[in-house]
Amino acid sequence: MKRNRKSLLLSLLTLMMVATLFAACGNSNSGNTAEGNNAPADKPANTAPAEEPAGKKIVVGFAQIGAESGWRDAETASIKDTFGNDPAFELKFSDAQQKQENQIKAIRSFIAQKVDAIGLAPVVESGWETVLKEAKDAGIPVFLLDRGITAGNEDLYTSFIGSDFILEGENAAKWMLDEFGADAEVNIVQLEGTVGASAANDRKKGFEDAIAGNAGYKIVYSQTGDFTRAKGKEVMEAYLKKDKNIQVVYAHNDDMALGAIQAIEEAGLKPGTDIKIIGVDGVKGAFEAIAEGKMNVTVECNPLLGPQLKQAILDYQAGKELPKWIKSEEDVYFGQKAIDALPNRKY
């Protein structure tokens, strides 16, 4: 009997040792689990719980006009930097290559993808009613950047973020009137922006209205340069072949002004002296031309709108009431003021 008890006790001790051995093996970390070797089917009891998945990103679709100017490139960079560097957002970007039909296709694609917000820099003012109504019906807020759409469609977008283009035209005219005097005889060539664009329409209106009461100021030629440097040069070349009796070039953006400067130099005249050059946008190239004495003034139009768009989207999602027009802060630069500001220009 004693012998049987001893045998039983020995058997129990053996079983306990085997169990302890297997338990130790089961809890060991061999360093092979990253490649699946000897990995247990279940997680060990002391493994830390998995992190909760990150919150849903705010998806933003942006339909850009294209890359017709340094100003436009700066706006694109601002949008991409703002949303690309914020983990709370995902940006879907479309370059329309200055074609409205491409922007409309992009917006419909954003709607189909159920983005949370749409940003649009409209290439022209008209023709947006149908597609923006589709976005509204889908419950997607639309934010216009730097250019507006035809009046009467304010219910189709949440806010416009950008400049007062009429004021920009007025500021360009004010500099010119101060420079020459109200009673001077001044012939002006106006290089207009893209036909139908709100920036072109309003900069033209602001400028022309401001000089309307001064009989000596005459716009002798006004032609679109499509907001591009190459077209600005082309238009200026064509006019100078017919007539060099002009005192001012007023360009609806700096790129066209810089193109005009090239044409004026090639015609044997001194831009900035023989012919005063006025541009709009405030791109770095304009400040450099002012420093070189080839350009006289640039009316700032701030393209760094990414942060304002981001804040507007966050405010909208928080249920805040947004103004219909979120204005940019801008200035007019000429002479020493422009030269002093040049080192700090970001675009």
Side-chain angles (χ1 to χ4, degrees):
M1 190 72 171
K2 290 181 179 180
R3 186 173 184 181
N4 289 338
R5 286 180 181 176
K6 288 181 179 180
S7 298
L8 181 59
L9 182 60
L10 183 59
S11 298
L12 288 171
L13 289 171
T14 302
L15 286 171
M16 288 174 65
M17 291 175 63
V18 171
T20 301
L21 178 62
F22 275 105
C25 291
N27 286 327
S28 69
N29 183 358
S30 66
N32 296 332
T33 55
E35 302 188 6
N37 296 334
N38 301 322
D42 298 319
K43 290 183 178 180
N46 63 351
T47 300
E51 292 183 6
E52 291 295 324
K56 181 180 178 297
K57 291 189 175 185
I58 300 171
V59 182
V60 179
F62 187 73
Q64 179 59 287
I65 292 171
E68 81 279 10
S69 64
W71 190 97
R72 187 66 52 193
D73 292 341
E75 183 185 61
T76 293
S78 178
I79 295 295
K80 289 184 174 181
D81 289 347
T82 298
F83 293 100
N85 292 324
D86 190 331
F89 286 87
E90 177 183 344
L91 177 66
K92 296 182 181 295
F93 185 87
S94 174
D95 182 335
Q97 299 179 332
Q98 294 180 270
K99 294 180 180 179
Q100 184 182 32
E101 59 267 32
N102 290 343
Q103 287 193 304
I104 290 173
K105 288 178 184 177
I107 292 170
R108 288 194 168 126
S109 174
F110 296 152
I111 294 169
Q113 294 176 72
K114 298 180 179 179
V115 300
D116 298 300
I118 292 173
L120 167 65
V123 64
V124 294
E125 286 186 294
S126 61
W128 300 103
E129 291 83 356
T130 300
V131 71
L132 294 190
K133 178 68 163 51
E134 292 170 16
K136 183 177 180 180
D137 291 344
I140 301 173
V142 174
F143 298 86
L144 303 182
L145 261 70
D146 82 74
R147 293 187 186 181
I149 61 175
T150 306
N153 293 299
E154 288 77 12
D155 63 320
L156 296 180
Y157 63 90
T158 300
S159 292
F160 165 71
I161 303 171
S163 307
D164 186 336
F165 298 136
I166 290 179
L167 179 60
E168 290 171 355
E170 291 172 350
N171 284 337
K174 182 180 184 301
W175 179 88
M176 180 179 65
L177 290 167
D178 289 344
E179 178 72 12
F180 289 94
D183 299 326
E185 299 285 331
V186 179
N187 292 334
I188 306 160
V189 167
Q190 179 174 221
L191 299 177
E192 299 181 32
T194 303
V195 174
S198 61
N201 294 341
D202 289 353
R203 287 170 184 170
K204 177 181 173 72
K205 176 177 172 54
F207 184 83
E208 293 182 357
D209 287 353
I211 66 172
N214 301 89
Y217 286 78
K218 298 176 183 178
I219 297 176
V220 295
Y221 188 67
S222 190
Q223 176 65 40
T224 179
D226 278 337
F227 283 127
T228 68
R229 189 175 303 197
K231 193 67 181 291
K233 180 183 179 184
E234 178 185 320
V235 172
M236 198 70 228
E237 282 176 339
Y239 185 77
L240 288 172
K241 288 177 182 178
K242 296 185 298 182
D243 185 6
K244 294 184 180 180
N245 182 28
I246 54 173
Q247 286 72 51
V248 172
V249 169
Y250 166 51
H252 287 183
N253 80 339
D254 288 333
D255 278 77
M256 290 189 296
L258 294 171
I261 287 171
Q262 291 178 289
I264 291 168
E265 288 181 319
E266 290 173 8
L269 299 171
K270 293 183 66 176
T273 302
D274 297 330
I275 301 174
K276 305 295 184 183
I277 310 295
I278 304 171
V280 183
D281 278 351
V283 301
K284 194 169 186 177
F287 282 74
E288 291 170 344
I290 292 172
E292 293 170 358
K294 296 180 179 182
M295 188 166 170
N296 302 90
V297 60
T298 181
V299 180
E300 186 177 39
C301 180
N302 185 4
L304 307 179
L305 303 180
Q308 285 180 284
L309 175 60
K310 173 183 168 182
Q311 189 59 53
I313 292 171
L314 291 173
D315 288 346
Y316 175 86
Q317 292 209 333
K320 296 181 181 179
E321 186 175 349
L322 294 173
K324 207 64 184 178
W325 187 353
I326 301 172
K327 291 188 179 183
S328 306
E329 293 185 5
E330 297 162 347
D331 205 344
V332 180
Y333 291 91
F334 53 91
Q336 192 60 43
K337 180 179 178 180
I339 295 170
D340 292 342
L342 174 57
N344 298 318
R345 296 309 290 177
K346 294 181 180 180
Y347 58 93

